[in-house]
Amino acid sequence: MQGSKLMTNGAAGFQSRVFSGMQPTHTLHLGNYLGALTRWVEMQATHECIYCVVDMHAITIQHDPADLTRSIREVTAAYLAAGVDPKRSILFNQSQVAEHAELTWVFNCVARLGWLNRMTQFKEKAGKDRENASIGLYDYPVLMAADILVYKATHVPVGEDQKQHLELTRDIAQKFNNDYSAAIAARGFGEQFFPLTEPVIGGPAARVMSLRDGGKKMSKSDPSDYSRINLTDDADAIAQKIRRAKTDPEALPSEEKGLDARPEADNLVGIFAALKGATKQQVLDEFGGAQFSTFKSALVDLSIAKLSPITAEMRRLLADPAEIDRILCDGADRARAIASATVRDVKDIVGFVQKR
Ligand code: TYM
């Protein structure tokens, strides 16, 4: 498994543990699925995994409460339908485990303003009207570090767009370990209290691009629904979106380097490869020289074959919201058991007085 190969000294000595999350701000799309969710499912075979619906992140921008509730259940249904097993892994929503917020406060006092000022996602999301952005949106990456480190997670499978946030997570862990090194050692934790978590990013779909513009990431916030395939799209919608996807006039190349400077072709080949569990070169071995009309037909068939069962299973699960809520509450209890031990130790290390 790639995750284990990525293990470096920073995470050595820690029990190997996976954490990741998605925001319930929208219906999940193919980028979320191929960039992260498929990897999450695979990692369950080799790692202890904790998967979270990060609802506290979702209120950093304006939201409708009823939509948020619906979206938390829908994202949970997508995790389950894609193959996250709530018996084997822990599956919960963030706001039910208060320790995420508690650790965030301590990390707010560790992280530096200069570090947050460099976060490109804040700049993108806040846009020109920065003064009007919520403090939560600015602090978002610190909450994300707390999500990960409250479980001392060693591996975080995500798409490429989360790389900078994971670097910040490592910076916060490192600074906490340094700032409190004496207290950490005195309490018998050795040199490091928090691991330096490894991002697990890779494969042909680490960055799935818009179907309308190969230079833009596939994203929930794109105003055109034709730019993305949603996990709730039916077979007709999937077929239409792929047929309308932007391409160039050339036939597909036979070698991967022939995709350079052809972002739309590169994206569709990457999507095909990820759905099939193949490499881009293997896809080109089959389709090199083919016109897009032929390739798109094959991509439509493959996409429908892979995604329709997930959509159907999501629909089935969503018919019983009480069962989804039960799974989330059960997961939250199990998550809290780990998180509360970490926060207790952190309070000791920092010097807070607490009940013994
Ligand atoms: P979010 O909700 O934007 O996205 C969820 C996951 O999907 C990946 N992703 C993509 N991958 C490939 N191509 C794309 N076009 C694409 N779009 C999204 C993201 O990289 C992510 O893995 N900050 C996180 C949520 C979060 C989190 C965490 C993740 C909060 N705390 C702790 C990991 C660990 C986010 O906004 O993801």
Side-chain angles (χ1 to χ4, degrees):
M1 159 94 335
Q2 187 176 5
S4 342
K5 272 195 243 139
L6 287 172
M7 181 85 101
T8 62
N9 284 339
F14 287 88
Q15 180 189 343
S16 177
R17 184 179 281 155
V18 169
F19 179 93
S20 201
M22 299 203 188
Q23 292 194 70
T25 39
H26 62 105
T27 299
L28 296 189
H29 54 66
L30 193 63
N32 301 129
Y33 177 66
L34 295 177
L37 199 45
T38 51
R39 178 70 56 80
W40 295 12
V41 173
E42 282 167 23
M43 290 186 91
Q44 294 181 114
T46 45
H47 292 73
E48 177 193 346
C49 297
I50 305 177
Y51 296 129
C52 185
V53 181
V54 292
D55 48 8
M56 282 156 58
H57 281 91
I59 65 165
T60 56
I61 51 171
Q62 268 199 348
H63 74 285
D64 175 76
D67 282 348
L68 178 61
T69 309
R70 202 174 312 119
S71 192
I72 291 168
R73 293 191 180 122
E74 190 181 284
V75 170
T76 308
Y79 289 4
L80 292 166
V84 170
D85 176 353
K87 292 202 184 75
R88 183 188 277 192
S89 304
I90 295 180
L91 196 176
F92 73 108
N93 60 312
Q94 188 185 28
S95 60
Q96 294 207 67
V97 181
E99 283 79 2
H100 290 237
E102 274 191 282
L103 186 58
T104 298
W105 183 255
V106 176
F107 284 174
N108 278 339
C109 303
V110 172
R112 305 290 95 181
L113 271 182
W115 300 357
L116 287 189
N117 285 340
R118 284 195 286 276
M119 294 294 113
T120 51
Q121 265 200 11
F122 173 75
K123 290 181 197 162
E124 278 162 30
K125 284 192 182 168
K128 291 206 177 74
D129 198 8
R130 269 180 82 144
E131 294 290 306
N132 220 6
S134 74
I135 293 169
L137 187 65
Y138 185 72
D139 202 32
Y140 178 114
V142 179
L143 175 58
M144 182 161 160
D147 296 338
I148 296 165
L149 294 173
V150 83
Y151 303 101
K152 299 189 181 177
T154 52
H155 298 87
V156 178
V158 281
E160 213 169 79
D161 60 345
Q162 297 301 314
K163 205 169 168 187
Q164 195 187 34
H165 288 156
L166 289 171
E167 280 160 13
L168 185 91
T169 300
R170 291 167 65 97
D171 288 343
I172 290 175
Q174 179 106 61
K175 189 163 189 303
F176 183 93
N177 290 341
N178 290 344
D179 288 357
Y180 294 103
S181 58
I184 290 169
R187 280 160 188 78
F189 292 113
E191 283 185 18
Q192 290 191 318
F193 180 74
F194 287 119
L196 302 187
T197 307
E198 292 293 333
V200 182
I201 302 173
R207 191 172 175 82
V208 178
M209 307 309 276
S210 155
L211 298 179
R212 308 299 301 158
D213 177 351
K216 272 185 14 197
K217 189 180 76 165
M218 183 177 285
S219 147
K220 58 199 162 195
S221 51
D222 194 311
S224 167
D225 199 47
Y226 276 91
S227 68
R228 64 185 158 259
I229 293 174
N230 302 306
L231 290 188
T232 48
D233 284 345
D234 61 19
D236 281 351
I238 293 174
Q240 265 196 43
K241 287 177 178 182
I242 292 175
R243 290 211 184 91
R244 284 214 204 170
K246 189 175 166 201
T247 48
D248 57 44
E250 307 292 321
L252 281 172
S254 303
E255 300 296 328
E256 211 178 319
K257 62 178 180 319
L259 294 170
D260 293 351
R262 293 181 66 186
E264 283 84 15
D266 186 36
N267 189 37
L268 293 183
V269 170
I271 290 173
F272 194 103
L275 284 170
K276 186 114 197 231
T279 62
K280 288 185 191 175
Q281 187 53 54
Q282 285 166 333
V283 176
L284 295 178
D285 289 345
E286 192 180 343
F287 290 98
Q291 296 300 321
F292 272 106
S293 51
T294 310
F295 179 65
K296 278 183 169 181
S297 294
L299 183 56
V300 166
D301 292 346
L302 179 63
S303 303
I304 293 173
K306 292 281 175 182
L307 301 179
S308 292
I310 296 175
T311 312
E313 178 63 2
M314 280 174 70
R315 217 175 293 127
R316 191 190 70 76
L317 290 163
L318 285 166
D320 187 359
E323 174 60 9
I324 292 186
D325 296 1
R326 194 199 58 73
I327 290 172
L328 290 174
C329 289
D330 173 62
D333 289 343
R334 290 159 62 205
R336 202 176 301 111
I338 304 172
S340 60
T342 306
V343 166
R344 169 160 273 279
D345 289 342
V346 165
K347 284 181 173 176
D348 261 350
I349 289 166
V350 167
F352 292 151
V353 172
Q354 59 185 326
K355 195 171 166 191
R356 301 266 147 213

